[in-house]
Structures are given as structure tokens and as C-alpha cells.
Amino acid sequence: MLDDFMVRATLAGVGTALAAAPLGCFVVWRRMAYFGDATAHAAILGVALSLALSLPVFAGAMVVALVMATVVALLSGRGYAMDTLLGVMAHSALAFGLVAVSFLTNVRIDIMAYLFGDILAVSRGDLAVIWGGAALVLALVGWRWSALLVSTLNPDLARAAGIDPRREQLVLTLSLAIVVAVAIKVVGVLLITALLIIPAATARPFSRTPEIMAGLASVVGVAAAWGGLRLSYSFDTPTGPTIVCVVAVMFCLSSIVAALREGVSRRRTSGSA
């Protein structure tokens, strides 16, 4: 069954979506979109180092993403605004990564595949990495779910309950680095943040609890991966960007439905009054 490249691509998209969606909820709640973008951009430097040292791309991307997140955490609050610091780090890492790739004269590399993904070229080994990473992220988030929620909602309350917010931030950072590393093959470093944020934002208007939001975000992410892959195959369009286009349309539709529902609710309230 895994000899069919479309089956492998579908499994890769589903695995990435399942890992990214619950984590994306915390990115949305904590307003860490730029942090995710910076971590993803840094992954290109990890790709270059992996190829230069003949190491697995997953390992290099994850290590550099973790280093990036650690540096940002150490430098934050030391005279730099967070958005300025993330902007400098994100674009600097991407630029250094692209320059480093240009020096790899003995290695043939399709840089566009790393920037925008190449899900149709996913191998069995890539599938094992993607699903292994997804399982690890889901295990980490599930294990620390309550502590992550409390530290996200109120760090002071978390400390009073014996929870260290910095430790939970480290868990979130590690999970984010893993997602970035496994998603490179599917949507590329320039579109990873979209797969993190948009499913969570799409699910938010219809979620009464954090758990429901995470579940709906996973459904949205999986549907976008499957739909984008099919549309890309039918219309011969770039697969990674097509997946993001599908989830963006889903977000627009959810926003329209949420606005209409709110309008109806207001009219009912005013009518009963």
C-alpha cells in the first residue's frame, strides 16, 4: 500500500496536521505566531548544516529550531521588544541558511522544496519520522495539557499551584521545534506557521472548551491536508501552498458562519427584550 506516492503523501499530511493543530491552539492562546515563524525560518539553517555534515535533515532542523528558541528566550526582556527580537532572529536565520545552502557545491538541493514543501516526494523513512514526531508531540502536549493550560491562562496562578511556567514554556518550545522539523517536507518552512495557526483560529469560534478547540483544529487540519492534496493532484498546483489555501478558505467560511450566528443571536436577544 505504501508504494503509492499519494498514499504516502496523504499519511504525511495527516500526521503533520495532527501534530500541528493542538500545538497551534497554544500558539494562538499565547499569541506566539511570530515565535513560530522565527523558529520555522531558522530551520533552513538547520537544513544546510545537516546536508553539509551528512546528517538527517530532521535532526539538524530540530536542533537549530531549539537553539533559536533558547536564544530568543535568553535575550527577551534585555532591552529588546519581543517582536523586534523575533524579527531580527527570524530573517537573519533564514538569510544565513540560504547563504549556507549556496556553498554546498557538492550537494544537489532543491531549495524550493524546503521553502514550500514537497509532500509528493515523501518516502517511507520520511513517514516514520513524521509520525514518530507527531506521536511525541501529542504525548508531550497530552502529558502536560493541564499545566500548559494553567500557565497559559495565568502564570501567577500556575506558580501558586506549584507549576513552573518556564518549564511549560520549554515543553511548548520543544514541541514546536519537533513540529517544524517534521513539517518541512510537507509544507516547507515558509508555510509551517500557517498550518499551526489557521486550523486553531478556524476552530476557535465554535469551541466552548480548550479540549473541543484542539479536537476541532485537528479535524480542520486533517481535512485541509487531504483536500489540498486532492486539489493539487487534480489541478497540478504546488501541494504545500494548496493545503494552506484550503485551510485559509475554511477559516474565511468559519468566520462568516460565526458572524452570521452572532447576528442571529443578537436579533433574538433584542427581540425578546
Side-chain angles (χ1 to χ4, degrees), residues 139-201:
L140 278 172
V141 173
W143 173 46
R144 304 302 303 170
W145 179 263
S146 297
L148 282 168
L149 272 180
V150 174
S151 60
T152 296
L153 295 173
N154 193 325
D156 293 331
L157 180 62
R159 292 189 189 94
I163 299 171
D164 184 0
R166 287 185 174 272
R167 182 184 60 198
E168 305 312 317
Q169 177 69 31
L170 180 61
V171 172
L172 204 58
T173 299
L174 175 61
S175 301
L176 187 61
I178 295 173
V179 168
V180 167
V182 301
I184 285 179
K185 195 77 171 182
V186 178
V187 291
V189 299
L190 297 184
L191 301 175
I192 289 173
T193 309
L195 204 59
L196 278 167
I197 297 172
I198 302 180

Side-chain angles (χ1 to χ4, degrees), residues 5 19 24 35-36 47 61 63 75 83 87 110 114 121 132 151 156 168 189 194 203 213 219 247 270:
F5 76 96
F35 184 85
V47 170
V63 168
L75 293 180
D83 59 344
D110 181 9
Y114 290 104
S151 60
D156 293 331
E168 305 312 317
V189 299
M213 181 171 166
V219 172
V247 75
S270 61

Side-chain angles (χ1 to χ4, degrees), residues 37-104:
D37 212 27
T39 306
H41 285 183
I44 277 291
L45 182 57
V47 170
L49 293 176
S50 297
L51 295 174
L53 300 174
S54 299
L55 297 173
V57 170
F58 171 81
M62 189 173 70
V63 168
V64 171
L66 281 173
V67 170
M68 170 72 151
T70 303
V71 170
V72 169
L74 291 175
L75 293 180
S76 61
R78 299 193 177 186
Y80 298 99
M82 180 59 75
D83 59 344
T84 301
L85 184 61
L86 288 174
V88 171
M89 296 293 290
H91 296 97
S92 299
L94 179 61
F96 276 110
L98 292 175
V99 170
V101 167
S102 69
F103 284 106
L104 301 176

Side-chain angles (χ1 to χ4, degrees), residues 28 160 193 232 237 264:
V28 170
T193 309
S232 172
T237 55
V264 171

